[in-house]
Amino acid sequence: MDVELFNITGLSLRVTGLALLISSLLGIPAGVLLGLKNFPGRRLVIALIYTGMGFPPVVIGLLVYLLLSRSGPLGSLHLSFIPPLFTPGAMVIAQIIIAFPLVAGFTMAAVMAVDPQLRQQVRALGATQGQAAWAVLSEARVGVVVSVVAGFGSIISEVGAVMLVGGNIEGKTRVMTTAIVLETRKGNFELAIALGLLLLGMSFLANLAMMRLQGRSLPQ
Amino acid sequence: MKPPVYRLTGVEKRYGQRCVLRVEQLEVEAGRILALVGPSGAGKSTLLRLLNFLERPDAGQIEFEGQPIPNNGEVDLNLLRKVTTVFQQPRLLDRSVVDNVHYGLRLRGIKDAKAEVEAVLDRLGLKPLVHQRARTLSGGEAQRVALARALVLQPEVLLLDEPTANLDPYHVGLIEEVITEANRQQGTTMVLVTHNIFQARRLADRVAFLLNGSIVEVAEKEDFFTWPQDPRTQAFIQGDMVY
């Protein structure tokens, strides 16, 4: 049982970790761009991001399922870099789509909250556009950390989408949340509770880390 | 005589439909201090932003060191870095005082400038505050840090927007001394925005009077204060201007 618990937790962390990494690498620059740059279609993109922030994960699961299924538009291409359904890769894709709007949206809000005068003054000190954007991002760092933690929270605890696209296959795509569902149904409460406590512990640690980071920037 | 650092011809700046600045002709001479005086809303700060290339004119031409600056597109970074501004309301980075003063040098890839940074911190009486977080400073302290972070860059042109607005008389005196030093010893060209005509009189070599976005009069300091040509300048100097 311990090995099973270990494997399930390990897979959860790997899938969520990779999805969070990719969402952050895409979402933080996207948030900065949306927060600082005016371009045609910006309002539409922001509206889409906001919609994405509140999108039901299970619908995203359905969408990814349809896209990746063998007869779907992506699955039918049989390209090596497109993961098939019922693999950890498919779960990572679903989680990226869930977390990306949260990371981008919260980063955008944090960047927009930085006084625009700061960017101008940094430019006056000789910053390139990129250096000025970096200065704004570093001023908004607390908000950016919050955006990543929000992204983490949304996908580590997510069950519907990973169930759909992963299939909850033992030893292959079973993660903590889907295992809890299954074990509860089976009446195997011991494992379900253990997984639940682990999940809670992870969430708590993530929030603790966030608060420590905030504490460094917030006045005492 | 050295050629002017800036030459402005027919420069206009609009925000929406409103024309906030219209400068027919203005030259900023190398190594001298030009004071821009005038009431609030006269366009002084807008003019400074144009001189620092932070905003671009809607019409007319700005020449910098004899080189015409296009009214759109990115300004060459080397050129941008010859000029810096001390703003009326400084926005410092959420870091320590010393990091803020180092910042502009780091942007230029200069990492080892401890001596220069210390010298400028010392000169402005900021030594006891070096490790303090910028956001915990008072308005006056922040203003001195803003001057320090600009001076450490040893810019060719220093634009000062009400640099003593938040300061007590002792620190006004200190900052005026430091400004004069930089001008006399390093030959830094300066444009000083102030609505304090006494300060203009103490610091400037030339004075320009702005009103409603236009330059009413520009003259050598003695001429400006002794024989103002325009009745509006006269009224402003005598404190009779109602606006």
Side-chain angles (χ1 to χ4, degrees):
Chain A
M1 194 187 85
D2 286 346
V3 177
E4 197 184 350
L5 190 74
F6 185 78
N7 286 341
I8 291 172
T9 310
L11 183 65
S12 263
L13 285 175
R14 279 202 304 281
V15 168
T16 298
L18 185 61
L20 188 66
L21 180 73
I22 297 172
S23 318
S24 302
L25 288 176
L26 298 172
I28 294 172
V32 172
L33 192 74
L34 288 167
L36 297 182
K37 203 109 185 118
N38 243 329
F39 54 88
R42 174 172 175 257
R43 287 169 69 93
L44 178 71
V45 177
I46 291 175
L48 287 173
I49 295 268
Y50 283 154
T51 312
M53 287 170 89
F55 218 66
V58 69
V59 180
I60 289 170
L62 174 65
L63 198 79
V64 175
Y65 187 99
L66 294 172
L67 285 172
L68 295 183
S69 72
R70 247 179 243 181
S71 52
L74 293 180
S76 59
L77 299 173
H78 301 293
L79 294 169
S80 58
F81 60 88
I82 297 174
L85 272 180
F86 311 126
T87 59
M91 291 151 75
V92 169
I93 289 184
Q95 293 202 344
I96 290 171
I97 300 175
I98 296 166
F100 169 79
L102 287 161
V103 177
F106 284 130
T107 299
M108 178 187 75
V111 160
M112 284 164 91
V114 175
D115 190 333
Q117 278 282 322
L118 180 113
R119 192 168 160 221
Q120 191 175 61
Q121 298 196 6
V122 163
R123 283 285 282 162
L125 290 168
T128 60
Q129 294 282 10
Q131 286 171 325
W134 181 256
V136 173
L137 185 64
S138 89
E139 288 299 294
R141 58 190 176 271
V142 175
V144 175
V145 171
V146 170
S147 80
V148 174
V149 174
F152 174 79
S154 72
I155 52 180
I156 189 77
S157 58
E158 198 282 321
V159 55
V162 287
M163 183 80 96
L164 273 177
V165 302
N168 194 21
I169 302 165
E170 189 180 357
K172 200 180 163 207
T173 59
R174 183 160 302 164
V175 288
M176 296 169 86
T177 51
T178 54
I180 291 172
V181 173
L182 183 76
E183 299 304 330
T184 308
R185 279 201 191 134
K186 277 165 40 185
N188 194 357
F189 295 114
E190 205 180 320
L191 184 56
I193 291 171
L195 283 164
L197 286 174
L198 259 177
L199 202 53
L200 265 175
M202 280 179 199
S203 256
F204 180 71
L205 281 178
N207 282 297
L208 206 66
M210 177 177 79
M211 284 186 63
R212 274 190 68 90
L213 281 164
Q214 278 184 327
R216 266 189 221 155
S217 304
L218 296 173
Q220 298 297 311
Chain B
M1 201 173 129
K2 288 186 203 168
V5 176
Y6 291 98
R7 179 177 284 131
L8 278 69
T9 320
V11 164
E12 277 185 29
K13 183 68 194 168
R14 284 186 214 96
Y15 293 130
Q17 293 297 310
R18 203 161 66 94
C19 183
V20 293
L21 190 72
R22 183 177 286 127
V23 177
E24 291 305 328
Q25 193 78 41
L26 180 70
E27 287 185 355
V28 178
E29 293 165 358
R32 306 191 81 203
I33 302 180
L34 169 70
L36 298 175
V37 298
S40 304
K44 306 187 295 290
S45 300
T46 306
L47 181 52
L48 279 201
R49 286 196 293 275
L50 293 180
L51 296 179
N52 205 161
F53 317 114
L54 298 171
E55 289 180 19
R56 313 295 275 282
D58 295 300
Q61 173 79 72
I62 295 180
E63 275 177 43
F64 182 74
E65 296 179 333
Q67 196 182 331
I69 307 297
N71 284 353
N72 41 42
E74 278 283 296
V75 174
D76 178 58
L77 192 62
N78 291 324
L79 213 134
L80 185 76
R81 288 181 172 174
K82 289 182 175 182
V83 187
T84 192
T85 303
V86 176
F87 291 86
Q88 189 175 1
Q89 283 165 335
R91 297 284 183 270
L92 302 176
L93 298 167
D94 182 21
R95 301 177 192 177
S96 69
V97 166
V98 67
D99 279 351
N100 269 281
V101 177
H102 251 296
Y103 180 72
L105 294 167
R106 265 197 219 112
L107 293 175
R108 290 157 174 77
I110 302 166
K111 290 199 178 87
D112 186 28
K114 215 172 162 217
E116 289 86 339
V117 171
E118 274 189 14
V120 78
L121 285 168
D122 194 32
R123 186 69 188 92
L124 284 161
L126 292 165
K127 267 279 183 68
L129 305 174
V130 279
H131 298 300
Q132 202 163 316
R133 274 195 104 84
R135 66 162 59 175
T136 63
L137 299 176
S138 71
E141 289 164 344
Q143 192 97 45
R144 280 185 285 147
V145 175
L147 182 61
R149 70 177 177 179
L151 282 176
V152 80
L153 302 174
Q154 303 194 331
E156 283 181 26
V157 180
L158 183 60
L159 308 170
L160 301 148
D161 195 352
E162 303 277 7
T164 57
N166 301 319
L167 300 175
D168 58 69
Y170 168 75
H171 286 110
V172 171
L174 174 68
I175 289 216
E176 289 188 358
E177 246 175 58
V178 173
I179 289 171
T180 312
E181 256 171 40
N183 171 252
R184 303 286 183 260
Q185 292 172 8
Q186 290 159 25
T188 311
T189 305
M190 296 188 185
V191 181
L192 165 74
V193 161
T194 178
H195 56 244
N196 180 343
I197 53 164
F198 300 106
Q199 186 169 59
R201 202 169 211 161
R202 287 194 295 270
L203 298 178
D205 300 306
R206 285 171 80 223
V207 184
F209 176 46
L210 254 89
L211 188 65
N212 301 327
S214 301
I215 292 179
V216 172
E217 186 165 347
V218 54
E220 291 296 304
K221 174 173 70 179
E222 292 307 324
D223 297 339
F224 185 89
F225 287 110
T226 321
W227 300 288
Q229 301 296 304
D230 193 285
R232 291 170 294 176
T233 313
Q234 203 163 11
F236 185 73
I237 292 170
Q238 290 170 351
D240 293 339
M241 178 162 277
V242 180
Y243 45 79

